[in-house]
Amino acid sequence: MINRRNLIKKSFIGSLGTGGLLGLSACEKSSMGPAAPLSYEFTAGKPMPWINWAKNQGCFPAKRIAPQSEDELCELLKANHSSRMRPVGAGHSFSAIVPTEGTLISTDLLNGIISTDSQANTARVWGGTRLHQLGPALDSYGLALTNWPDINYQTLAGAISTSTHGSGAALGSLSSMVNELTIATPAGELITCSASTRPELFNAARCGLGALGIITQVNLDTTAAFNLAQTTAVEPLADVLNNIDQEKERNRHFEFLAFPHTSQALVVRTNPIDAAAPITTFGEEDPTAIYQIREAYQKLGILPLVGEYAYQKVIDFAADGAETLTSGPSYSVLTHDRVVPFREMEYTVPADAGPACLEEILSRIARKKIPVIFPIEYRYTQQDNIWLSMFCEQAGCSISIHQFADEDYREYFAEIEPIFRKYAGRPHWGKLHTLGSQALSELYPHWADFLAVRNSIDPAGRLLNEHLTELFGLTGNAHG
Ligand SMILES: Cc1cc2nc3c(=O)[nH]c(=O)nc-3n(C[C@H](O)[C@H](O)[C@H](O)COP(=O)(O)OP(=O)(O)OC[C@H]3O[C@@H](n4cnc5c(N)ncnc54)[C@H](O)[C@@H]3O)c2cc1C
């Protein structure tokens, strides 16, 4: 993400902000306007509201529970046998995948490493473990995950439940690292499943959207701890796309962020380094640089005739010499701080369709003069065999569009979503999208298999909420 780069600060945009190089002031037209506020205020006498990280989803759960053991969890599930419930992790999903007016179940107190096997390179971990705890904890046993998402605030169970991924054409999502898991069903029964024991449940629950039960334990495939070096540089997008096959083969992790209304991209290449190599950092990080880019666009980009050109020049100028280098343990190099609130839509298209899909998105933004500056994220992930994974039976290219939380994303996302659909994109379950069960059933070869397992585990629909009811095409059934 650009928001940790010192990209613009060094440019003359600093002077625009403090008096205005061109004597321009921020223009309202460059914004889509604020999104409707979410009104989940704390009110005495009402249940405590729950709100997600992006503050676009919330609810008033009647009850919240955070069991301290699997036994306690199963007892609570049995005691609440008629009520609705939803598992919650760290609330880092943008979609309405968590909200419930029933019982919110957190596995926060089931956290930490249970055991490791360095011969087999596996680690058994409690589902509520936060990813930022997991990296250092595995490292202390000389182990590491093969890949990480962009951030590490999520819980392990929450992350695998939406097939959370990083980038690397030869690397799978977090769900693909699971070789066994234990799940508490709504009836309060603990089931352990793997490729050889209850394989249908295993195929469904490795990305189960919290619709099959409460994941308590996860056995993960790991690797020996390793160090990485990550470089970032702003480069012409055309060059990046011309060399895309070599880039994704040459770099263990390769991704880029394309700047709308320009011909540039921030390219991120991450590769292993020797454990003995010194830990290096070069280039200053600035988690709020994205605000300076917005300011540049608001002051220049919207000008008639010359605006796009002037904005492009700012990005060109700022890009020159803005390279960074960071090295260290894999878990810290691959995950970043996110201090700028935003909303996101991400679709995964078949890997080969990535460049064409991205180019169509960028040209739609330019043609329609959509006032968005948030860079578009572009990543690769290996295929897997997990039924609701975005990478099920096909290698994927995930393309994400973002909008600031203080701007309305709806018009922009509605304009771009049909392009994702045209390329047979599969939506990220934790991010915003508008697909229903008919469209989803055409995108996922094992859609019906998943629904059959869900129905067998939770025939009364106790784990459903409104969003899942619509996704699964169960409208008409009760939900809460
Ligand atoms: C700033 C930001 C950056 C992100 N970066 C990435 C990224 O790089 N790559 C990526 O793929 N995604 C990314 N995401 C999306 C995020 O990883 C997913 O939405 C993830 O599922 C969130 O995990 P969580 O622990 O917050 O779970 P929540 O959002 O709380 O829940 C997610 C799902 O998991 C279920 N769940 C939670 N706990 C359990 C449990 N114990 N048992 C069963 N089900 C459970 C919930 O019911 C829900 O269905 C990002 C999100 C944000 C806000």
Side-chain angles (χ1 to χ4, degrees):
M1 275 278 170
I2 185 63
N3 56 5
R4 70 194 182 91
R5 313 285 170 212
N6 183 29
L7 181 66
I8 291 291
K9 211 160 127 193
K10 67 182 274 294
S11 79
F12 54 78
I13 274 305
S15 59
L16 283 179
T18 56
L21 186 70
L22 303 178
L24 300 166
S25 59
C27 177
E28 291 295 314
K29 266 191 245 160
S30 66
S31 163
M32 288 186 170
L38 192 68
S39 57
Y40 284 97
E41 303 297 332
F42 173 74
T43 316
K46 279 185 87 177
M48 175 85 93
W50 173 87
I51 299 178
N52 67 342
W53 174 87
K55 296 193 171 62
N56 67 323
Q57 304 292 347
C59 60
F60 290 106
K63 218 190 248 182
R64 291 163 183 252
I65 58 172
Q68 297 190 56
S69 67
E70 286 175 325
D71 285 349
E72 187 187 347
L73 170 63
C74 291
E75 287 310 312
L76 286 163
L77 291 171
K78 285 176 190 154
N80 278 288
H81 59 86
S82 59
S83 65
R84 305 278 161 202
M85 62 182 90
R86 289 295 298 144
V88 64
H92 272 63
S93 296
F94 301 86
S95 61
I97 199 161
V98 166
T100 180
E101 305 297 311
T103 303
L104 204 53
I105 306 175
S106 163
T107 44
D108 261 355
L109 301 182
L110 298 177
N111 71 71
I113 293 192
I114 302 165
S115 62
T116 60
D117 182 340
S118 48
Q119 296 296 315
N121 262 335
T122 58
R124 184 169 297 278
V125 181
W126 289 109
T129 309
R130 300 279 168 143
L131 299 186
H132 61 79
Q133 297 174 301
L134 183 58
L138 287 175
D139 195 59
S140 69
Y141 291 95
L143 297 173
L145 297 187
T146 50
N147 203 1
W148 291 87
D150 231 21
I151 56 159
N152 58 13
Y153 311 118
Q154 306 95 317
T155 60
L156 177 60
I160 66 172
S161 294
T162 63
S163 198
T164 289
H165 62 94
S167 191
L171 302 167
S173 73
L174 287 189
S175 304
S176 75
M177 300 172 199
V178 178
N179 61 58
E180 186 180 276
L181 60 81
T182 302
I183 191 162
T185 67
E189 184 195 359
L190 269 187
I191 304 179
T192 296
C193 58
S194 67
S196 54
T197 309
R198 304 280 303 252
E200 342 65 50
L201 180 58
F202 183 61
N203 287 334
R206 279 182 291 163
C207 173
L209 281 53
L212 304 172
I214 321 301
I215 296 170
T216 56
Q217 298 187 28
V218 181
N219 202 34
L220 290 166
D221 290 329
T222 60
T223 184
F226 62 106
N227 284 359
L228 289 170
Q230 181 168 85
T231 62
T232 69
V234 179
E235 298 174 12
L237 177 63
D239 292 355
V240 178
L241 291 179
N242 282 340
N243 296 318
I244 198 82
D245 289 337
Q246 296 94 305
E247 292 280 16
K248 69 184 212 223
E249 266 155 43
R250 224 179 270 153
N251 298 291
R252 188 176 194 273
H253 311 262
F254 170 76
E255 67 177 286
F256 66 83
L257 296 124
F259 295 95
H261 307 289
T262 81
S263 54
Q264 303 280 26
L266 180 82
V267 186
V268 185
R269 300 179 178 91
T270 314
N271 287 296
I273 52 168
D274 197 90
I279 303 294
T280 328
T281 305
F282 168 79
E284 194 191 332
E285 295 205 339
D286 179 1
T288 58
I290 188 94
Y291 286 128
Q292 296 159 44
I293 298 179
R294 174 158 75 169
E295 196 183 336
Y297 187 76
Q298 287 177 337
K299 289 181 172 169
L300 294 174
I302 46 82
L303 293 177
L305 303 176
V306 296
E308 300 263 312
Y309 178 77
Y311 177 62
Q312 166 89 49
K313 286 286 153 212
V314 168
I315 298 288
D316 290 351
F317 180 85
D320 186 24
E323 296 86 9
T324 66
L325 163 68
T326 314
S327 68
S330 52
Y331 63 85
S332 72
V333 169
L334 290 170
T335 58
H336 307 120
D337 286 339
R338 289 285 168 268
V339 296
V340 174
F342 59 85
R343 277 61 186 277
E344 181 174 349
M345 169 182 279
E346 174 184 303
Y347 272 72
T348 295
V349 300
D352 291 344
C357 181
L358 176 72
E359 282 177 323
E360 197 163 332
I361 291 170
L362 288 168
S363 63
R364 176 78 58 95
I365 291 172
R367 186 162 48 81
K368 294 257 177 165
K369 297 196 184 313
I370 301 174
V372 59
I373 62 92
F374 232 110
I376 299 176
E377 198 171 14
Y378 184 103
R379 300 183 277 183
Y380 286 106
T381 299
Q382 195 182 46
Q383 79 171 55
D384 57 43
N385 60 356
I386 303 164
W387 288 348
L388 290 199
S389 155
M390 292 84 80
F391 316 102
C392 184
E393 296 175 11
Q394 72 184 20
C397 171
S398 303
I399 302 178
S400 313
I401 59 172
H402 308 74
Q403 185 55 290
F404 291 96
D406 63 2
E407 297 196 31
D408 196 342
Y409 63 85
R410 287 170 294 188
E411 207 179 317
Y412 171 37
F413 289 10
E415 190 66 50
I416 303 304
E417 194 172 23
I419 302 176
F420 286 133
R421 298 274 294 121
K422 174 178 159 191
Y423 289 90
R426 295 170 175 171
H428 190 305
W429 302 109
K431 302 188 184 180
L432 296 165
H433 69 93
T434 64
L435 299 199
S437 79
Q438 180 57 41
L440 291 165
S441 68
E442 290 162 15
L443 291 167
Y444 286 90
H446 295 282
W447 184 252
D449 297 329
F450 181 90
L451 292 190
V453 169
R454 191 214 67 77
N455 193 48
S456 70
I457 292 277
D458 184 25
R462 292 175 60 202
L463 283 160
L464 296 175
N465 66 3
E466 197 170 338
H467 179 68
L468 292 183
T469 302
E470 277 166 26
L471 284 191
F472 298 150
L474 301 171
T475 319
N477 288 19
H479 56 73

